[in-house]
Amino acid sequence: MPLINEHYLKLAGGYLFPEIDRRVQAYVHDHPESAAHVIRCGIGDVTEPLPLAVREAMHKAVDEMGVRETFKGYGPPFGHEFIRKAIAKNDFQDYGLDVEADEIFLSDGSKGDCGAVLDILANDGANRIGITDPVYPVYVDTNVMVGNTGPAKEGGGYEELVYLPCIAEHNFVPEIPKQSLDVIYLCYPNNPTGSMITRDQLTAWVRYALANNAVILYDVAYQAFLRDPSGELPRSIYEIHGANRCAMEFHSFSKDGGFTGLRCGYTVCPKELKGRRSDGEEVSMHRLWSRRWSTKSNGVSYIVQRAAEAMYSEAGKEQVRALIDFYLGNAAILREGCEAMGLEVYGGINAPYVWVGCPDGVDSWGMFDRMLEQANVVVTPGSGFGRCGEGYFRISAFNSRENVEEVVRRMKAMADQGEPLHTS
Ligand code: PLP
């Protein structure tokens, strides 16, 4: 029998969403009459169909694949030039940022990239890893799998990871640590809190990373939700001077183009970004990342690459904007509904997530159960995202307008019946 990777056995309690699913299934099993009534505002999956421009591009690409002259076999492992150029221009150069097409690496989505990046870093605890708390659980679990943590701790979290608390008083942005870290995960607009980092705060993190020879893994899966007319909030970490020497950026087409089922995303790995060997010699991370892709992948399907490209057409941009406006409209309804009930509410302005303080005396899973049982609404318990998420729950705005309005109505009915929805 082969020896297994025992780090997997450290993973505590399974991944958050399977546990939510298990509880929902158990509830529906015991209350079959409620099955059709349950509204899922838990997992961050989009609900609206793909934009027309994306569908048209795929139809065309399918037809190209059916003709010998335009058929495409294996493509470059990092993505065809047409999409890498479209990304570099539309997401960076048009904003005055110096990111080139050969620094873009196309993938089947950003979840995989968040784990794959550990391929080019030393693992088994060789790097000190800083992870925000609460956090998108994938960063944590992928580090557990490669041996960057000790065992799970009583009460949550893992030994040896450095948790960076994100609390309401600091708008859910972690303070700069006193100790030196090698790898830092940041995500803004943030999942799960829906909060946004300011330019000054991100500048402080870039300075810290440069001073400590650290790399920031900056996840902008929710970039499209950032609606900041003042231009004060940073869309990309590369807006910050020096970030090309200390940051990789992770992008997803899942939440803006609705690609959760289609699958596409990309990373930016700047050519100036360096890591070091154990003897101290500097090595280009771009070189290693390129090598990693060409060895482990044959890239994204041609049809999907054309679909992603279509998001940057004039029609595509307009349709994507309309999609995001729709979800932000949902988020506003959820926000206002929760506020009107006297709940403590964050997020939902530059993000599709509304982060809500549990009423007095109820913990996150308690609130999850209460929402499921009393309102038949599935939310995500904040504690599932980390210890600092305890006392909160997350409501996702990815839903139909009808469902979102119904969620607010049901929560209000709960409050009217005296369920402790009010904080005071
Ligand atoms: N990063 C964050 C913060 C996310 O919330 C998600 C998905 O929910 C992802 C990455 C994964 O996105 P993708 O669908 O591109 O794998």
Side-chain angles (χ1 to χ4, degrees):
M1 272 185 282
L3 283 171
I4 53 141
N5 177 351
E6 289 191 37
H7 299 307
Y8 277 60
L9 305 180
K10 290 184 212 160
L11 289 165
Y15 184 64
L16 170 64
F17 295 107
E19 174 57 20
I20 290 177
D21 241 21
R22 196 190 61 72
R23 289 194 187 212
V24 175
Q25 292 309 328
Y27 177 76
V28 168
H29 179 268
D30 294 345
H31 305 86
E33 71 290 352
S34 329
H37 207 53
V38 170
I39 300 179
R40 290 167 195 272
C41 293
I43 191 164
D45 196 0
V46 296
T47 52
E48 303 310 299
L50 292 167
L52 179 63
V54 166
R55 281 178 280 141
E56 283 176 348
M58 283 198 288
H59 282 298
K60 186 161 171 266
V62 169
D63 289 340
E64 283 179 56
M65 294 295 265
V67 177
R68 176 179 289 275
E69 285 68 31
T70 49
F71 167 78
K72 298 277 186 305
Y74 286 130
F78 325 121
H80 282 281
E81 200 166 284
F82 65 78
I83 180 68
R84 297 175 92 195
K85 277 191 167 160
I87 291 170
K89 177 179 181 308
N90 288 281
D91 284 350
F92 300 98
Q93 293 158 6
D94 283 357
Y95 291 89
L97 304 180
D98 183 20
V99 171
E100 291 175 28
D102 62 358
E103 295 173 307
I104 306 289
F105 296 77
L106 209 70
S107 73
D108 68 344
S110 141
K111 185 182 196 177
D113 289 341
C114 291
V117 69
L118 297 173
D119 278 5
I120 63 163
L121 295 169
N123 291 310
D124 283 318
N127 283 309
R128 278 150 304 178
I129 315 274
I131 288 196
T132 53
D133 177 6
V135 74
Y136 175 52
V138 171
Y139 313 148
V140 176
D141 287 3
T142 50
N143 273 286
V144 175
M145 288 170 172
V146 298
N148 282 339
T149 74
K153 290 195 276 193
E154 193 81 17
Y158 291 88
E159 301 286 353
E160 283 154 50
L161 278 186
V162 178
Y163 287 94
L164 307 167
C166 296
I167 56 170
E169 288 69 27
H170 296 135
N171 199 27
F172 302 103
V173 173
E175 289 195 83
I176 302 291
K178 302 224 170 4
Q179 71 194 108
S180 173
L181 298 171
D182 302 304
V183 181
I184 301 126
Y185 289 81
L186 294 178
C187 169
Y188 291 98
N190 185 255
N191 177 14
T193 63
S195 59
M196 190 48 205
I197 194 166
T198 65
R199 188 175 302 277
D200 284 350
Q201 287 168 320
L202 191 55
T203 302
W205 272 104
V206 167
R207 286 201 185 127
Y208 169 87
L210 291 170
N212 289 276
N213 291 319
V215 64
I216 297 176
L217 304 178
Y218 196 65
D219 186 339
V220 294
Y222 300 93
Q223 184 186 59
F225 293 84
L226 184 52
R227 291 291 167 80
D228 170 36
S230 71
E232 273 312 297
L233 300 174
R235 285 178 69 256
S236 162
I237 196 166
Y238 302 115
E239 290 177 26
I240 312 296
H241 182 70
N244 57 342
R245 287 182 281 121
C246 68
M248 285 175 73
E249 194 166 87
F250 296 72
H251 288 248
S252 170
F253 293 109
S254 285
K255 312 297 162 102
D256 49 1
F259 277 40
T260 51
L262 199 56
R263 309 303 306 140
C264 196
Y266 69 90
T267 54
V268 182
C269 186
K271 281 175 283 203
E272 294 83 357
L273 184 65
K274 300 269 179 16
R276 64 179 168 82
R277 297 189 342 184
S278 53
D279 64 6
E281 191 181 319
E282 290 186 355
V283 177
S284 157
M285 300 257 292
H286 183 273
R287 191 182 111 202
L288 301 189
W289 193 233
S290 306
R291 185 60 203 253
R292 188 254 166 222
W293 277 97
S294 48
T295 301
K296 288 201 172 182
S297 175
N298 277 318
V300 177
S301 103
Y302 173 70
I303 295 160
V304 172
Q305 295 194 43
R306 284 295 184 197
E309 182 195 30
M311 284 179 50
Y312 296 107
S313 66
E314 280 317 305
K317 281 182 190 168
E318 220 169 273
Q319 290 158 17
V320 167
R321 194 171 171 87
L323 258 184
I324 304 294
D325 282 349
F326 171 74
Y327 290 127
L328 283 174
N330 283 352
I333 292 170
L334 289 169
R335 248 193 91 93
E336 284 155 23
C338 291
E339 272 167 357
M341 281 170 244
L343 292 167
E344 184 191 336
V345 186
Y346 305 93
I349 294 172
N350 291 307
Y353 298 123
V354 179
W355 186 244
V356 190
C358 297
D360 293 339
V362 186
D363 69 9
S364 294
W365 277 109
M367 201 58 205
F368 171 89
D369 289 336
R370 196 176 291 259
M371 290 287 287
L372 179 61
E373 286 158 24
Q374 314 283 329
N376 290 173
V377 171
V378 181
V379 295
T380 315
S383 58
F385 297 103
R387 287 220 279 215
C388 294
E390 182 55 273
Y392 294 92
F393 63 100
R394 189 192 76 175
I395 315 182
S396 162
F398 292 122
N399 222 313
S400 65
R401 183 59 49 91
E402 197 188 347
N403 276 352
V404 163
E405 287 169 349
E406 178 62 17
V407 167
V408 173
R409 258 195 302 275
R410 290 187 195 173
M411 287 178 74
K412 184 159 185 318
M414 270 172 84
D416 290 347
Q417 280 162 20
E419 286 298 330
L421 265 177
H422 295 274
T423 42
S424 56

